[in-house]
Amino acid sequence: DKPLYDSINNLAKQHDQRATISQWFYMALLKGVFGGQADTILSSMRDVLDQKLNESVFPLPQIVERYKATNKDLRFDSDYIESLLDTQHGEGRCRALLHLLFPEMNATEVFHIDHLHPQSAFEKKKLNQLAFLQSDPELLAFYSDAKHWNSIANLHLLNDSQNMSKKDRPLKDWLNDYTVHLSPKQLLVDGVSLDLECFNEFYQKRRAALKSRLVSRVYMTTSLSEAVRSDDSDEEVVVEEMIA
């Protein structure tokens, strides 16, 4: 029942509240709320915190309510969710999105954003050598399109040792390595074939699983007004290496 500020800096305590603060942080990055007028935003948020200073929980619902229907609205709508699922490797918001989707990642570790099915597998020369693609131009186009293999549906956060062991290894071979302590369930691909021949199904099912998790991790609204959207063009640009 003590105020949250009494214990929040103790890393052995308040894991749930620390996760809630991280949730707010990554939501704020993805919605770009600090892209413009940051001083005004911080000042108004401080007012909310001051009002809840003696409470034992982080006031995330009150913060979301404070900015509702403004150009700094922290809520997500279905269109924005779909746009996030199209996020590509190298985009500023990619790391924030993965941390929001996988909050179990240890915030004190350095993580690399890596392709699950390796990027090298989708090189034009290699795709042209795959027999199952030669008789299906439409499927070949799907495999060739970076929108699919380079998107969040084929990306994950790996620590140093995982990244070193992964490299260009096929996903199925890598996960079957006894030294790799990751499971298909943790990657949200449980029950999905990991063979490259089934990448189409892999992409569709993991994207759907990520969407379901993302909706559960943010505050949703039916729709955001066009006026709000038009003012929200100052999206935060996050340099990938700056967030670990």
Side-chain angles (χ1 to χ4, degrees), residues 144-176:
S144 303
D145 193 344
K147 178 182 177 181
H148 302 133
W149 59 260
N150 199 45
S151 77
I152 205 76
N154 191 40
L155 300 176
H156 198 68
L157 293 171
L158 303 180
N159 61 29
D160 280 330
S161 62
Q162 292 168 337
N163 187 54
M164 288 298 294
S165 70
K166 178 65 172 67
K167 294 186 177 179
D168 284 344
R169 294 170 66 184
L171 176 58
K172 187 175 182 178
D173 293 350
W174 180 63
L175 281 183
N176 285 334

Side-chain angles (χ1 to χ4, degrees), residues 23 78 81-82 84-85 97 100-103 152 188 203-220:
Q23 181 184 3
S78 58
I81 291 289
E82 291 295 333
L84 288 176
L85 294 170
L97 178 56
L100 181 62
L101 285 164
F102 298 95
I152 205 76
L188 299 185
Y203 170 82
Q204 301 294 347
K205 290 190 174 181
R206 191 166 192 259
R207 181 185 170 100
L210 291 174
K211 180 177 181 178
S212 178
R213 175 170 288 191
L214 182 55
V215 169
S216 73
R217 293 285 298 156
V218 300
Y219 285 71
M220 293 292 295

Side-chain angles (χ1 to χ4, degrees), residues 1-2 17 29 40-41 59 102 106 108 147 153-154 166 173-174 192 196 198 237 242-243:
D1 295 329
K2 294 182 179 180
Q17 294 307 309
L29 288 181
T40 301
I41 297 299
F102 298 95
N106 188 343
T108 63
K147 178 182 177 181
N154 191 40
K166 178 65 172 67
D173 293 350
W174 180 63
V192 179
L196 184 62
C198 299
V237 176
M242 294 298 292
I243 301 179

Side-chain angles (χ1 to χ4, degrees), residues 62-200:
Q62 290 81 5
I63 293 172
V64 172
E65 182 67 27
R66 169 64 181 78
Y67 298 109
K68 189 179 292 185
T70 72
N71 66 330
K72 301 301 179 183
D73 199 321
L74 277 169
R75 297 173 300 163
F76 293 64
D77 65 8
S78 58
D79 288 343
Y80 201 75
I81 291 289
E82 291 295 333
S83 75
L84 288 176
L85 294 170
D86 288 330
T87 298
Q88 300 285 296
H89 185 282
E91 285 189 40
R93 62 186 183 177
C94 186
R95 185 177 296 274
L97 178 56
L98 285 169
H99 274 290
L100 181 62
L101 285 164
F102 298 95
E104 67 273 14
M105 298 296 184
N106 188 343
T108 63
E109 285 190 73
V110 175
F111 287 96
H112 306 267
I113 301 175
D114 204 357
H115 295 82
L116 293 176
H117 283 285
Q119 179 177 354
S120 61
F122 298 92
E123 294 174 359
K124 184 176 180 179
K125 181 178 179 180
K126 291 185 178 180
L127 291 179
N128 287 334
Q129 295 173 350
L130 297 176
F132 74 94
L133 293 178
Q134 302 316 303
S135 59
D136 194 336
E138 186 176 341
L139 189 59
L140 176 60
F142 181 90
Y143 275 68
S144 303
D145 193 344
K147 178 182 177 181
H148 302 133
W149 59 260
N150 199 45
S151 77
I152 205 76
N154 191 40
L155 300 176
H156 198 68
L157 293 171
L158 303 180
N159 61 29
D160 280 330
S161 62
Q162 292 168 337
N163 187 54
M164 288 298 294
S165 70
K166 178 65 172 67
K167 294 186 177 179
D168 284 344
R169 294 170 66 184
L171 176 58
K172 187 175 182 178
D173 293 350
W174 180 63
L175 281 183
N176 285 334
D177 188 331
Y178 73 94
T179 65
V180 176
H181 304 295
L182 273 175
S183 68
K185 184 176 181 179
Q186 289 172 300
L187 296 177
L188 299 185
V189 292
D190 196 23
V192 179
S193 174
L194 303 181
D195 293 316
L196 184 62
E197 289 86 345
C198 299
F199 177 70
N200 190 341

